[in-house]
Amino acid sequence: MRNISARPVLLLSAATTLTGTAIGWAAADGLNAGQSVRQQTSEDMMQQHPYVGMWVTDDGRVRHELLADGRYDEARGSRESAYRGRYEVTGSHMEYWDDTGFTADGDFADGNTLHHGGMVFRRK
């Protein structure tokens, strides 16, 4: 008799555990969907950002490409992709975080002029 009464409790316990797991997965899917929506909104904002594009020093030696996904790619002289990382723009101020850990900043003087690291970049 003990075995018969123990089995329904075990089955009820297993069903409760599995139901909780299923609810956990559903909640996790909802959370992931919400994160995806927030990320997409952020990417949409970057794609519409007025500073996305190529910025070049007057001598053409240094080139910053500000990508729509919040990343940048910097070329120096004949060295393509010399530096890569992410950037964020707040108003007319930009912060850079290079993939190697280097940080820098810059300021947009207007829609076509960027001051960064003692250099002046123009939109191309």
Side-chain angles (χ1 to χ4, degrees), residues 40-113:
Q40 184 63 40
T41 301
S42 176
E43 288 175 7
D44 289 343
M45 287 174 56
M46 289 302 295
Q47 288 174 353
Q48 297 171 8
H49 202 284
Y51 301 124
V52 168
M54 183 64 74
W55 297 82
V56 181
T57 56
D58 289 338
D59 63 4
R61 186 176 168 285
V62 183
R63 299 167 305 283
H64 282 208
E65 184 174 10
L66 302 180
L67 304 170
D69 64 357
R71 302 274 304 160
Y72 74 91
D73 190 323
E74 179 180 317
R76 292 199 171 225
S78 61
R79 187 174 165 207
E80 296 295 323
S81 299
Y83 301 98
R84 291 180 177 172
R86 68 181 182 91
Y87 73 93
E88 288 181 11
V89 177
T90 304
S92 62
H93 182 77
M94 180 167 45
E95 295 284 335
Y96 294 92
W97 294 270
D98 187 85
D99 290 342
T100 65
F102 177 79
T103 61
D105 65 354
D107 292 290
F108 294 94
D110 56 43
N112 294 308
T113 309

Side-chain angles (χ1 to χ4, degrees), residues 8-22:
V9 171
L10 180 59
L11 290 175
L12 178 60
S13 176
T16 303
T17 301
L18 291 174
T19 302
T21 302

